[in-house]
Amino acid sequence: MMSEADKQQKKPAAVGEDAMAVDSAEEGRTAEALLRVVPVGLCLAAMAIMLRNSQENDFGAVSYADLTAFKYLVFANGVCAAYSLLSAFYVAMRRPSTLSRSWSVFLLDQVLTYAILAAGTVAAEIVYLAYMGAEKVTWSKECTAFDGFCRRATTSLGFTFGSVACYVLLSLVSSYRLFSNYDTPITFLSSKGLEIAAYPC
């Protein structure tokens, strides 16, 4: 049997381990909150540059509003900036982690990652065609006439793909937290022969 002295020695060690675990969780929460703040600046920069992107010269006039892909890019960056700010506050708040909250953050991170990636990819294709042209569809090299417009669009895309990189990291973080803290669902058959997934406690 364990003596009373041994029990007294193990109590401080257990308290120390608990304190270290709490400190580690706090550091992880702070780091994730900071990582979620970074896309706010990137998305706002991309959105601001694109909103002011227009050019007029002897060849005519062009604006981001003339292209649906660029309008979608502005919208996606605005949504992602708002979500990043809200999720940073949400993650920074001290609250017990639950399965539903972990799933919510994971799914929203996935949706926003694919949304901003799709917006950047479509806009990048338009910029590529503007620079290189496409003879088969009689698309001329518009950037030779509207070089300033193309440069600003390229800069906006650079900030957008920077936010994409951040969202990829955030998706990895949220997926790791979800699938490392909670077991996979157990599938069983109900009395009616239907498969039902349930998470173990």
Side-chain angles (χ1 to χ4, degrees):
M1 294 180 64
M2 186 179 296
S3 65
E4 191 66 27
D6 293 336
K7 291 181 180 179
Q8 292 297 329
Q9 289 178 355
K10 287 196 172 184
K11 283 183 180 179
V15 172
E17 291 177 358
D18 292 341
M20 290 179 61
V22 171
D23 291 340
S24 178
E26 287 293 330
E27 291 176 359
R29 185 184 297 110
T30 302
E32 183 180 352
L34 291 175
L35 182 59
R36 289 182 179 278
V37 171
V38 174
V40 177
L42 294 173
C43 290
L44 289 178
M47 185 173 62
I49 293 171
M50 189 60 77
L51 283 172
R52 299 178 60 184
N53 193 14
S54 61
Q55 184 177 357
E56 185 176 357
N57 55 27
D58 296 337
F59 297 98
V62 63
S63 171
Y64 86 94
D66 298 330
L67 298 166
T68 304
F70 287 172
K71 290 192 290 185
Y72 174 54
L73 186 72
V74 169
F75 175 77
N77 274 298
V79 172
C80 288
Y83 170 74
S84 297
L85 187 61
L86 292 175
S87 64
F89 282 113
Y90 181 83
V91 169
M93 293 175 62
R94 292 185 178 180
R95 61 178 66 194
S97 178
T98 63
L99 180 62
S100 59
R101 289 172 181 169
S102 297
W103 265 110
S104 298
V105 174
F106 168 73
L107 292 176
L108 287 173
D109 284 349
Q110 295 293 317
V111 170
L112 269 295
T113 299
Y114 285 111
I116 193 67
L117 177 61
T121 303
V122 173
E125 183 179 5
I126 297 298
V127 172
Y128 174 82
L129 290 174
Y131 272 110
M132 306 303 296
E135 296 181 358
K136 292 183 179 180
V137 293
T138 64
W139 191 306
S140 60
K141 299 178 181 180
E142 297 295 335
C143 287
T144 56
F146 301 100
D147 56 337
F149 179 83
C150 291
R151 284 198 304 269
R152 286 187 289 273
T154 303
T155 303
S156 179
L157 278 174
F159 283 112
T160 299
F161 282 109
S163 65
V164 169
C166 291
Y167 270 105
V168 170
L169 290 176
L170 289 171
S171 296
L172 292 175
V173 170
S174 59
S175 61
Y176 174 79
R177 182 190 302 108
L178 173 63
F179 296 113
S180 63
N181 292 339
Y182 301 98
D183 296 328
T184 55
I186 299 174
T187 302
F188 61 92
L189 291 176
S190 67
S191 58
K192 296 182 179 180
L194 299 175
E195 289 189 356
I196 301 176
Y199 286 89
C201 299

